[in-house]
Amino acid sequence: MTEKTLFEPYTLGSLTLSNRVVLAPLTRNRAGAGFVPSEFAATYYSQRASAGLQISEATQISQQGQGYQDTPGIYSQAQIDAWHEITDAVHGKNGKIFLQLWHVGRVSHVDLQENGAAPVAPSAIRAATKTFVNNSFVDVSEPRALALDELPGIVNDFRQAAANAIAAGFDGVEIHGANGYLLDQFVKDGANVRTDAYGGSIENRARLLLEVTAAVVAEIGAERTGIRISPVSPTNGVSSSDPQGQFDYIVDQLDALGIVYLHVVEGATGGPREVAPFDFDSLRRRFRNTYIANNGYDLDLATSRLTEGKADLFAFGRPFIANPDLVERLKTAAPLASFDPTTLFGGGAVGYIDYPALADANAL
Ligand code: 8OZ
């Protein structure tokens, strides 16, 4: 088989990406007052604009959707204006960028919620996970189950956030359907014991995720709508009794909506790729548009998967933190720098925009 390369242009909907390397969404907890993206974020994203596509850090669609301190939002005019400076900086370097739309559901804390309210969830089941709030890691709060008549409001918050993202100059949005946050909580029966139209069967548990996707598509178009899922990841305490049947169904429905990409965390997010028997190729076969593969990829694995036709684009997360020019380093087999774990979450410019590109490092 002739080996394919990641370093050629790729057509994603109406966009031409300069290569098949994607910046995965990375939470960095540096937002300022009013949950406006960091003053350093335009520099951070423009430093990484040589990625074929960048996906922004997870960005809450409402205050209720926030679960960690200092993460940015996309529901106020000040947030939209700040994001616009970032998209302008990225486009100025010929990069492309999607915004990741986020509602954390039960992975939150009363101190982050309006008037100290309980976080919301499909069911009143506390997640076995921690969040970062008031500068320390603490257990998430006990959630309350969302009433049936509150769900249209959540769908509407996603729809409005998608419109806001386009107003902020993003090329599209990625719906965060992964990692044990609200939409994944509805999908997975370890977190969802509802007995109404949003719980029980595979179809019912997929309903909110699919309604959100349909609403975003209706608002901004399928060509600008992607989604991220993590079928077998136990992140944030979720579990599913039939992930294959569940996600085969979901991907069939997503394909019918015609969205531009499916972004799949293969395995445990940020952990082992093999955690449970699961046929990711089945998702690939069910989805006609772009398949973005993520989790533990290096250049060799990505190149062989591309050559085998198993994925179109490859999302790299942690390697991008200390290697803003990751594309160039992969292309030239240059060594990769490692990041400082103490500056991952929170802080300012240090450990954020001060990792040099290879050319600059050599000039030091
Ligand atoms: C790490 C820390 C906080 C949030 C995810 C948005 O896992 C996250 C996240 C990751 O998708």
Side-chain angles (χ1 to χ4, degrees):
M1 217 182 300
T2 313
E3 196 166 86
K4 289 195 172 176
T5 171
L6 271 62
F7 308 108
E8 283 179 359
Y10 178 81
T11 303
L12 178 74
S14 60
L15 302 174
T16 302
L17 313 185
S18 55
N19 57 68
R20 294 175 187 260
V21 177
V22 175
L23 169 70
L26 291 166
T27 289
R28 303 301 305 273
N29 306 77
R30 283 167 163 82
F35 308 108
V36 161
S38 160
E39 59 180 304
F40 306 116
T43 301
Y44 169 80
Y45 286 105
S46 65
Q47 285 173 341
R48 288 155 184 80
S50 59
L53 175 67
Q54 297 186 77
I55 304 163
S56 81
E57 64 210 272
T59 299
Q60 61 266 9
I61 60 167
S62 60
Q63 185 179 345
Q64 185 193 68
Q66 182 176 355
Y68 304 81
Q69 78 179 43
D70 303 333
T71 57
I74 186 70
Y75 52 89
S76 75
Q77 191 59 48
Q79 292 162 352
I80 295 170
D81 294 345
W83 278 117
H84 215 311
E85 290 180 23
I86 295 165
T87 61
D88 284 347
V90 169
H91 292 146
K93 290 201 164 181
N94 200 29
K96 309 289 182 212
I97 184 164
F98 274 41
L99 180 76
Q100 195 190 45
L101 301 180
W102 194 27
H103 191 307
V104 297
R106 66 182 185 168
V107 184
S108 188
H109 192 276
V110 290
D111 288 356
L112 295 169
Q113 297 290 316
E114 207 168 342
N115 303 319
V120 298
S123 302
I125 305 170
R126 193 173 186 157
T129 193
K130 295 203 182 282
T131 181
F132 190 67
V133 57
N134 305 324
N135 294 316
S136 65
F137 284 96
V138 296
D139 289 342
V140 298
S141 302
E142 182 81 29
R144 69 171 177 88
L146 281 159
L148 195 56
D149 66 6
E150 291 179 280
L151 300 182
I154 299 227
V155 173
N156 192 53
D157 286 345
F158 272 98
R159 183 198 60 72
Q160 183 63 54
N164 293 350
I166 298 305
F170 283 94
D171 297 293
V173 303
E174 174 175 287
I175 296 163
H176 197 337
N179 296 344
Y181 298 112
L182 183 71
L183 300 178
D184 201 32
Q185 289 159 27
F186 268 84
V187 165
K188 292 182 177 165
D189 50 7
N192 180 354
V193 297
R194 297 177 76 95
T195 54
D196 60 14
Y198 292 82
S201 66
I202 278 176
E203 292 81 0
N204 282 358
R205 283 183 278 122
R207 194 175 308 281
L208 186 65
L209 178 145
L210 294 172
E211 286 181 351
V212 163
T213 308
V216 170
V217 165
E219 182 70 30
I220 67 168
E223 267 196 1
R224 298 195 285 196
T225 305
I227 195 166
R228 191 178 212 214
I229 57 172
S230 58
V232 293
S233 184
T235 296
N236 289 316
V238 286
S239 61
S240 175
S241 57
D242 177 16
Q244 193 76 56
Q246 180 71 64
F247 282 90
D248 281 353
Y249 170 77
I250 286 173
V251 173
D252 282 344
Q253 301 301 309
L254 293 172
D255 184 67
L257 289 169
I259 60 171
V260 74
Y261 75 69
L262 177 68
H263 180 183
V264 184
V265 182
E266 298 168 341
T269 310
R273 291 180 53 82
E274 314 290 334
V275 278
F278 192 88
D279 180 12
F280 289 101
D281 293 346
S282 169
L283 307 186
R284 163 66 162 170
R285 285 193 302 272
R286 285 164 193 275
F287 191 74
R288 78 190 107 130
N289 288 336
T290 296
Y291 182 104
I292 308 180
N294 172 249
N295 209 30
Y297 276 86
D298 60 14
L299 181 61
D300 283 352
L301 184 59
T303 303
S304 71
R305 291 301 180 114
L306 176 65
T307 303
E308 292 164 4
K310 303 292 192 200
D312 303 300
L313 302 177
F314 298 87
F316 295 82
R318 286 171 298 187
F320 256 116
I321 293 170
N323 300 280
D325 56 341
L326 182 67
V327 174
E328 186 63 19
R329 293 197 199 207
L330 293 175
K331 197 171 169 180
T332 59
L336 298 186
S338 48
F339 66 83
D340 175 1
T342 66
T343 51
L344 206 44
F345 303 122
V350 175
Y352 189 52
I353 56 168
D354 56 355
Y355 291 111
L358 207 51
D360 301 336
N362 289 340
L364 292 178

